[in-house]
Amino acid sequence: MAGPLMILLIGSLLQAFLLAAYKQKINLPKIVQVMTGSCVTIPCSFDVEDQYEQNLNNQCTAIWRSTTTGDVAQLTDRNPQTGDLTKKNCTTTFSNVKTGPTRNYYFRIDCGNPLKWSYSSTYVKIEVTDNFPSPTLTPSTLKIKEGESVSLTCSAPAPCLPHPPTLIWTPKLGDIQETLQEKLDKTKFKTSVMNFTASHLHNKQNISCTAGYKKQDGSSDAALTTSLIPDVLYSSKNVTVSVSPSGPVLENSNVTLTCNSDANPAEQNYTWYRADGGQETVFGTGKILNITVSMNRKSFFCKAENDVGEQHSN
Ligand SMILES: *[C@@H]1O[C@H](CO)[C@@H](O)[C@H](O)[C@H]1NC(C)=O
Ligand SMILES: *[C@@H]1O[C@H](CO)[C@@H](O)[C@H](O)[C@H]1NC(C)=O
Ligand SMILES: *[C@@H]1O[C@H](CO)[C@@H](O)[C@H](O)[C@H]1NC(C)=O
Ligand SMILES: *[C@@H]1O[C@H](CO)[C@@H](O)[C@H](O)[C@H]1NC(C)=O
Ligand SMILES: *[C@@H]1O[C@H](CO)[C@@H](O)[C@H](O)[C@H]1NC(C)=O
Ligand SMILES: *[C@@H]1O[C@H](CO)[C@@H](O)[C@H](O)[C@H]1NC(C)=O
Ligand SMILES: *[C@@H]1O[C@H](CO)[C@@H](O)[C@H](O)[C@H]1NC(C)=O
């Protein structure tokens, strides 16, 4: 007889509980990595049940606790800086983070009034590490033709909001554009985009991006570097002919002509031409040409050609 009523009662209690649980929500990243002696910002926003809205005031304090029982959180020796709790912003920056075991932390608000709440079912893992990740370069390898435009992106985590990393390109090859971006979990990263036009001079040249992080524990700032060696394809260049032996030679003696050039890819086809009074005839192929010298003066030149293009010598 009391059955339906009971179900109704339980149902509404459950609903109220779920509503309350929903209202006691907090948004935290699952994990943040921080460099020893540096600072870290934990992006955080929370909600409270409607009846406690009025209790949010300037007296509210933020407390971060380790989920490890009996563990006194020893993240930092300075008071953390916290976002505006009255706006439900619990974003917190810890300075000079000490090295220690990786711990999970949850947030507690205490307003010195009925609003005292531990959001202990959601926590953030704070990993203090000396092996902080190096910046990432996109693309990570580069194979491109000379003359094409290149856009390289360097991105590095920015764990501490007041001190984002500096990103430096070596060498600086063109225009650079920096932005601070946010991931889905609200943690930040900094990107630097460098645009330039590929030249043969960049071939096999080490291009690197260095992320600099400020330390607050008196140790020197950290610099993490990622580099790439581009493969710039270019057509045959600096095509010259060398003659051996050099200098005057006897008639009917043999001389060796060598076609020298620089190209990437280095595989090239060589064609030799003989210039006969304005007319050019193909005389041979191959990098090296042996000829027998004759009295009637003729001039020779070579053409070097790779997949990208060709060039003639003088
Ligand atoms: C929360 O506070 C932090 C630190 O003061 C601030 O950078 C951030 O923009 C705030 N977030 C929102 C959503 O207002
Ligand atoms: C770099 O190149 C990208 C893609 O080509 C372009 O979207 C961006 O505006 C360029 N940035 C600068 C600083 O020139
Ligand atoms: C490129 O230069 C950087 C900085 O000088 C260096 O750390 C890195 O080892 C170099 N990379 C290669 C592949 O030589
Ligand atoms: C061509 O030769 C000049 C002078 O020796 C040199 O400076 C230049 O780098 C060379 N170019 C290539 C593509 O090797
Ligand atoms: C020059 O080369 C030709 C053919 O390769 C050969 O028959 C001749 O003996 C050579 N002459 C000399 C002087 O080496
Ligand atoms: C050209 O001559 C050199 C030296 O006389 C000889 O070693 C070489 O085999 C010759 N090359 C060709 C392609 O005939
Ligand atoms: C060289 O010549 C061969 C035969 O003509 C051709 O198949 C090949 O593509 C050429 N290679 C280059 C690098 O030009």
Side-chain angles (χ1 to χ4, degrees):
M1 273 171 278
L5 194 65
M6 207 60 180
I7 287 169
L8 201 67
L9 191 65
I10 290 173
S12 47
L13 273 174
L14 196 64
Q15 198 183 13
F17 175 78
L18 287 175
L19 201 64
Y22 170 73
K23 276 300 203 176
Q24 288 153 207
K25 238 177 72 168
I26 189 163
N27 295 307
L28 285 176
K30 286 203 161 30
I31 180 168
V32 292
Q33 276 189 314
V34 54
M35 206 181 277
T36 310
S38 178
C39 56
V40 64
T41 301
I42 298 165
C44 174
S45 61
F46 64 99
D47 216 338
V48 294
E49 285 178 57
D50 293 340
Q51 66 188 101
Y52 294 121
E53 290 273 349
Q54 69 202 49
N55 297 113
L56 280 170
N57 59 35
N58 291 330
Q59 303 304 308
C60 297
T61 55
I63 301 139
W64 291 88
R65 285 187 180 159
S66 164
T67 56
T68 308
T69 38
D71 189 35
V72 186
Q74 267 289 291
L75 258 184
T76 172
D77 47 22
R78 266 189 256 168
N79 286 331
Q81 290 175 355
T82 310
D84 189 345
L85 293 176
T86 65
K87 295 191 172 119
K88 300 175 183 170
N89 184 346
C90 45
T91 299
T92 302
T93 298
F94 294 94
S95 299
N96 191 5
V97 173
K98 301 274 186 259
T99 196
T102 295
R103 293 276 191 243
N104 297 324
Y105 292 85
Y106 65 86
F107 173 72
R108 176 176 169 79
I109 188 166
D110 188 333
C111 296
N113 57 34
L115 178 51
K116 295 183 168 88
W117 188 261
S118 291
Y119 295 81
S120 53
S121 58
T122 306
Y123 47 79
V124 55
K125 175 185 272 189
I126 300 183
E127 189 183 312
V128 186
T129 177
D130 289 320
N131 284 321
F132 200 74
S134 293
T136 46
L137 276 182
T138 327
S140 56
T141 59
L142 189 60
K143 187 168 189 171
I144 198 160
K145 276 187 191 166
E146 181 171 35
E148 289 180 343
S149 31
V150 181
S151 187
L152 288 181
T153 303
C154 177
S155 45
C160 179
L161 211 47
H163 300 290
T166 54
L167 295 180
I168 294 169
W169 290 97
T170 313
K172 180 180 183 291
L173 297 174
D175 290 336
I176 286 167
Q177 206 166 28
E178 288 191 341
T179 50
L180 195 62
Q181 296 184 38
E182 197 175 83
K183 292 195 209 165
L184 280 177
D185 69 0
K186 308 280 191 224
T187 57
K188 312 266 186 192
F189 62 100
K190 193 167 175 184
T191 66
S192 174
V193 178
M194 177 166 75
N195 289 352
F196 62 97
T197 303
S199 149
H200 66 276
L201 297 173
H202 303 142
N203 188 43
K204 306 279 182 264
Q205 187 186 15
N206 184 344
I207 301 176
S208 67
C209 172
T210 301
Y213 291 91
K214 280 241 165 303
K215 294 271 202 141
Q216 296 154 329
D217 61 356
S219 68
S220 56
D221 293 349
L224 297 165
T225 298
T226 303
S227 60
L228 74 80
I229 309 274
D231 192 11
V232 182
L233 306 176
Y234 54 91
S235 65
S236 305
K237 284 185 194 307
N238 279 1
V239 182
T240 57
V241 173
S242 57
V243 184
S244 171
S246 56
V249 286
L250 292 172
E251 189 178 12
N252 293 325
S253 66
N254 291 337
V255 298
T256 298
L257 303 182
T258 306
C259 190
N260 307 297
S261 65
D262 176 28
N264 187 27
E267 295 77 48
Q268 293 166 92
N269 284 343
Y270 301 90
T271 313
W272 290 93
Y273 296 86
R274 193 176 64 185
D276 290 321
Q279 228 188 333
E280 294 166 2
T281 50
V282 174
F283 196 74
T285 56
K287 185 174 169 68
I288 293 169
L289 182 74
N290 288 339
I291 56 167
T292 306
V293 177
S294 64
M295 273 295 276
N296 48 345
R297 300 171 117 230
K298 298 245 162 50
S299 54
F300 292 86
F301 66 90
C302 75
K303 181 188 82 182
E305 177 182 22
N306 70 354
D307 287 343
V308 186
E310 60 176 61
Q311 199 187 47
H312 291 234
S313 71
N314 288 328

